[in-house]
Amino acid sequence: MAIGVGVGLGIVIVLSLLLYRPAFMVIIAAAVLASVWEMSQTLRRARGIEIEWLPVGLGCVALVVLPWWFGHQAQALGIAVAALVCLLWRFRRGAAGYLQDVSASVFLLVYLGLFASFATLLVQPEDGAKRVLVFLIVVVCSDTGGYASGVVLGKHPMAPSISPKKSWEGFGGSLLTAMIGGALSVWLLLDHPWWQGVVIGAVLTVVAVIGDLAESLIKRDLGVKDMGTLLPGHGGIMDRLDSLLPSAVIAWALLNAFVGH
């Protein structure tokens, strides 16, 4: 079931990139909106934190969609306006819990909306589909290599108190396969030097691990195993985006530096 869901999502994403690039942006916006809903339910059950779902959800969608036309200005203004709306929207429930509710709402605006908006900036250029494919190839190679080497060779836990299943051997496998995937994809898809792909693969592996561990800490803090159940075999959508969101930010920065606007 998990493999089928993963392959199905991959096919939908690749088709959107090949047939109509804005469709990829719509897919990201839908995933982020679903993640906001998952997080709002989880935070309410676990800690009694009430996320301002409507302004956070609409704010995240706006942050993902508007940079297609307005770039960084939409990111900056969008996060500021959405945060201001959250401050105001929460007035109706009074002072009790105001700080924790608003803080969690603004955190989700950044963690989900702002981070995901870099995926839009990634796909925006004329060669944006190829840039996103490079990003996805590196992430898939990292995940696959890390899983395989972790299962076969994993003996030394990387962060046992956070994620006991992660091992240094798995990290090594992720690093190696991501660098190979990055080198080949940058060379073949973008016609740029292979060493740039090696750098992208190495950096994204580190960032992906940080993102994964960060979400593990959030789940441990909340006392939950998964953020949701929307994806059979995977947990919630947020459980699939944990490493992708911060990686999108760094992938955009590196590809922008190497390939240009």
Side-chain angles (χ1 to χ4, degrees), residues 243-256:
S243 59
L244 291 172
L245 288 169
S247 296
V249 180
I250 305 303
W252 173 84
L254 290 173
L255 286 169
N256 196 53

Side-chain angles (χ1 to χ4, degrees), residues 141-165:
C141 286
S142 176
D143 286 349
T144 304
Y147 177 78
S149 58
V151 169
V152 176
L153 304 173
K155 293 181 179 179
H156 301 88
M158 176 182 288
S161 62
I162 301 175
S163 183
K165 292 184 179 180

Side-chain angles (χ1 to χ4, degrees), residues 63-202:
L63 281 167
V64 171
V65 172
L66 293 180
W68 178 270
W69 294 281
F70 305 108
H72 294 304
Q73 288 183 329
Q75 288 178 305
L77 186 60
I79 198 74
V81 171
L84 182 60
V85 172
C86 286
L87 291 174
L88 176 62
W89 199 272
R90 180 57 179 73
F91 281 5
R92 71 190 192 281
R93 288 206 300 271
Y98 181 83
L99 180 60
Q100 71 171 11
D101 292 350
V102 169
S103 298
S105 295
V106 174
F107 168 72
L108 290 187
L109 283 172
V110 174
Y111 188 43
L112 296 176
L114 184 60
F115 283 8
S117 68
F118 282 91
T120 298
L121 294 179
L122 198 60
V123 78
Q124 182 188 38
E126 288 298 319
D127 63 347
K130 294 180 180 179
R131 297 188 188 208
V132 174
L133 285 174
V134 168
F135 168 56
L136 294 177
I137 288 169
V138 168
V139 170
V140 169
C141 286
S142 176
D143 286 349
T144 304
Y147 177 78
S149 58
V151 169
V152 176
L153 304 173
K155 293 181 179 179
H156 301 88
M158 176 182 288
S161 62
I162 301 175
S163 183
K165 292 184 179 180
K166 284 196 175 299
S167 65
W168 285 108
E169 291 82 5
F171 175 73
S174 292
L175 197 62
L176 178 61
T177 52
M179 289 191 295
I180 293 173
L184 291 174
S185 59
V186 166
W187 175 44
L188 295 174
L189 292 176
L190 298 177
D191 196 27
H192 271 250
W194 62 268
W195 64 265
Q196 294 179 352
V198 171
V199 173
I200 291 171

